[in-house]
């Protein structure tokens, strides 16, 4: 009679199953340590510079927006609320960088976000100084550089998709990157360009100048946002962009083309999400219908085989 051994396998002779091994680390310890040190410092620098330039200096950031009013000037209160939420998410990102333990989270932080996020905060601090001292073309350069940095982060994070097991990754990594990119692309750069070109709104003449450039600079980013929403089913982009458009819409007075661009944006942005959801629903139903047809075909094939077997048995009997 054969004998069976119940002793545990010797790891030197018989390796354990692959799923019992911990996944190999994908993140450099040096890069992660650098992120854990520099990220909180950069966020603190950016937040401190913006708070000082907004609250401790007169005229501050909001005062300059009032003094240099353009067709694209948004509501100060709505924009302030937006940045409060955004910096709250940045602080949450700092805690995630320092305290995150999952390899997927570390990978998204180091390889998905990386030093570009830190540099963006340094540039944001410089922008606050430039805007306060009215070096407007320097402000445009800072905002454009940050938009480029955040766009590359956004595209990189597409490969680091969050999952339901890691909801904090979506809240503190993906959401702040998208919100920051949206506010730059949707309004900050355009408004800074208008101010730098001295394309200011003139109440005395009834705002006749630069209306259609403002129309294009609102509707164009909305069309770009609709593409991102359509391709990535991006709820964060939709909500953030709609908030910015509303902030521009409610700040009065505005010429008719600007109001028209805002109304068109209200249609384009949600419409892109509706189209994407409808497409996903159609594909899902088509896939389920194909699966049902395959199951029915297998059932019919099985029924035919059973009938043929029954006929053969009847013939033998």
């Amino acid at each position: 009679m054969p004998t069976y051994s119940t002793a545990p396998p010797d790891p030197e002779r018989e390796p354990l199953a692959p799923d019992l091994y911990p996944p190999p680390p994908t993140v450099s310890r040096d890069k992660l340590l650098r992120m854990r040190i520099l990220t909180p410092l950069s966020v603190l620098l950016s937040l401190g510079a913006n708070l000082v330039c907004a609250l401790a200096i007169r005229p501050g950031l909001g005062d300059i927006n009032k003094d240099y009013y353009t067709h694209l000037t948004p509501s100060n209160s709505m924009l302030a609320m937006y940045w409060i939420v955004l910096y709250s998410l940045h602080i949450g990102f700092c805690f995630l960088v320092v305290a995150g333990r999952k390899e997927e989270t570390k990978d998204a932080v180091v390889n998905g976000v990386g030093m570009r996020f830190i540099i963006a905060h340094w540039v944001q601090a410089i922008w606050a100084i430039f805007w306060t001292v009215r070096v407007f073309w320097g402000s445009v350069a800072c905002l454009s550089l940050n938009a480029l940095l955040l766009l590359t982060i956004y595209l990189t994070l597409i490969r680091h998709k969050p999952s339901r097991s890691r909801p904090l990754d979506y809240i503190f990594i993906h959401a702040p990157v998208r919100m920051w990119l949206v506010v730059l692309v949707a309004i900050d750069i355009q408004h800074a360009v208008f101010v730098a070109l001295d394309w200011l709104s003139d109440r005395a003449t009834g705002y006749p100048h630069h209306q259609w450039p403002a129309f294009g600079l609102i509707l164009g980013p909305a069309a770009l946002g609709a593409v991102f929403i359509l391709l990535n089913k991006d709820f964060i982009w939709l909500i953030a962009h709609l908030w910015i458009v509303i902030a521009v819409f409610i700040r009065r007075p505005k010429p008719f083309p600007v109001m028209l661009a805002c109304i068109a944006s209200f249609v384009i942005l949600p419409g892109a999400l509706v189209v994407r959801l409808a497409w996903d629903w159609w594909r899902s139903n088509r896939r389920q219908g194909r699966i049902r047809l395959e199951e029915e075909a297998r059932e019919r094939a099985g029924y035919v085989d059973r009938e043929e077997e029954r006929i053969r048995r009847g013939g033998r009997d």
Side-chain angles (χ1 to χ4, degrees):
M1 177 180 294
T3 59
Y4 299 94
S5 173
T6 58
D10 186 354
E12 296 183 356
R13 297 183 179 178
E14 185 176 350
L16 297 174
D19 56 350
L20 297 181
Y21 286 106
T26 59
V27 177
S28 167
R29 290 186 177 182
D30 293 338
K31 291 182 179 179
L32 182 59
L33 180 60
R34 191 183 306 125
M35 288 286 295
R36 286 176 171 174
I37 294 174
L38 294 180
T39 300
L41 292 177
S42 65
V43 173
L44 183 62
L45 173 65
S46 172
L47 178 59
N50 279 270
L51 287 176
V52 169
C53 293
L55 303 177
I57 297 177
R58 287 291 178 268
L61 300 177
D63 299 325
I64 294 175
N65 282 337
K66 294 178 182 178
D67 295 339
Y68 293 83
Y69 185 82
T70 73
H71 297 330
L72 302 175
T73 301
S75 166
N76 280 345
S77 59
M78 288 195 67
L79 201 62
M81 292 172 62
Y82 188 98
W83 280 102
I84 289 172
V85 173
L86 183 53
Y87 268 105
S88 300
L89 294 175
H90 285 169
I91 294 172
F93 176 75
C94 292
F95 281 107
L96 197 63
V97 171
V98 173
R101 292 293 178 264
K102 295 182 178 180
E103 286 297 326
E104 296 86 352
T105 300
K106 296 177 184 178
D107 186 34
V109 166
V110 175
N111 299 322
V113 178
M115 286 293 295
R116 293 167 294 180
F117 188 80
I118 296 171
I119 296 172
H121 274 288
W122 294 344
V123 175
Q124 183 70 20
I126 298 172
W127 166 83
I129 297 171
F130 277 160
W131 191 257
T132 303
V133 299
R134 295 177 174 81
V135 182
F136 295 126
W137 282 115
S139 301
V140 172
C142 289
L143 295 173
S144 301
L145 176 58
N146 264 0
L148 180 61
L149 290 170
L150 290 165
L151 178 60
T152 60
I153 296 174
Y154 178 86
L155 296 176
T156 306
L157 285 176
I158 293 176
R159 300 195 302 267
H160 299 267
K161 294 183 179 180
S163 65
R164 293 182 180 179
S165 62
R166 301 187 312 303
L168 294 182
D169 287 16
Y170 185 77
I171 297 173
F172 293 128
I173 297 178
H174 293 262
V177 169
R178 298 175 189 184
M179 287 183 62
W180 198 355
L181 178 59
V182 167
V183 71
L184 292 174
V185 173
I187 195 61
D188 276 358
I189 296 176
Q190 299 93 309
H191 175 57
V193 169
F194 263 55
V195 173
L197 291 173
D198 201 28
W199 288 1
L200 306 180
S201 297
D202 187 357
R203 298 172 186 266
T205 57
Y207 312 100
H209 304 295
H210 320 302
Q211 296 182 12
W212 293 108
F215 171 87
L217 290 176
I218 292 177
L219 196 58
L224 177 64
V227 172
F228 282 111
I229 294 169
L230 185 64
L231 294 177
N232 300 320
K233 199 163 58 173
D234 199 330
F235 291 90
I236 296 295
W237 192 298
L238 172 63
I239 296 171
H241 207 137
L242 284 177
W243 185 274
I244 297 300
V245 174
I246 293 172
V248 175
F249 184 78
I250 67 173
R251 182 71 182 267
R252 303 295 176 86
K254 288 287 193 302
F256 173 75
V258 175
M259 306 297 288
L260 182 62
C262 291
I263 295 172
S265 300
F266 294 146
V267 177
I268 292 173
L269 293 166
L273 182 61
V274 171
V275 171
R276 174 57 190 267
L277 293 176
W279 170 256
D280 290 345
W281 175 82
W282 179 79
R283 287 185 60 190
S284 176
N285 284 353
R286 184 183 179 187
R287 188 182 303 111
Q288 292 176 4
R290 186 164 55 247
I291 292 173
R292 284 195 297 267
L293 289 175
E294 292 174 355
E295 291 176 350
E296 292 174 359
R298 287 195 296 268
E299 290 177 358
R300 285 195 299 268
Y303 174 77
V304 171
D305 292 340
R306 289 193 299 271
E307 287 296 311
E308 291 178 351
E309 181 66 23
R310 185 178 63 82
I311 293 172
R312 285 196 298 269
R313 288 180 180 177
R316 288 197 297 270
D317 295 341

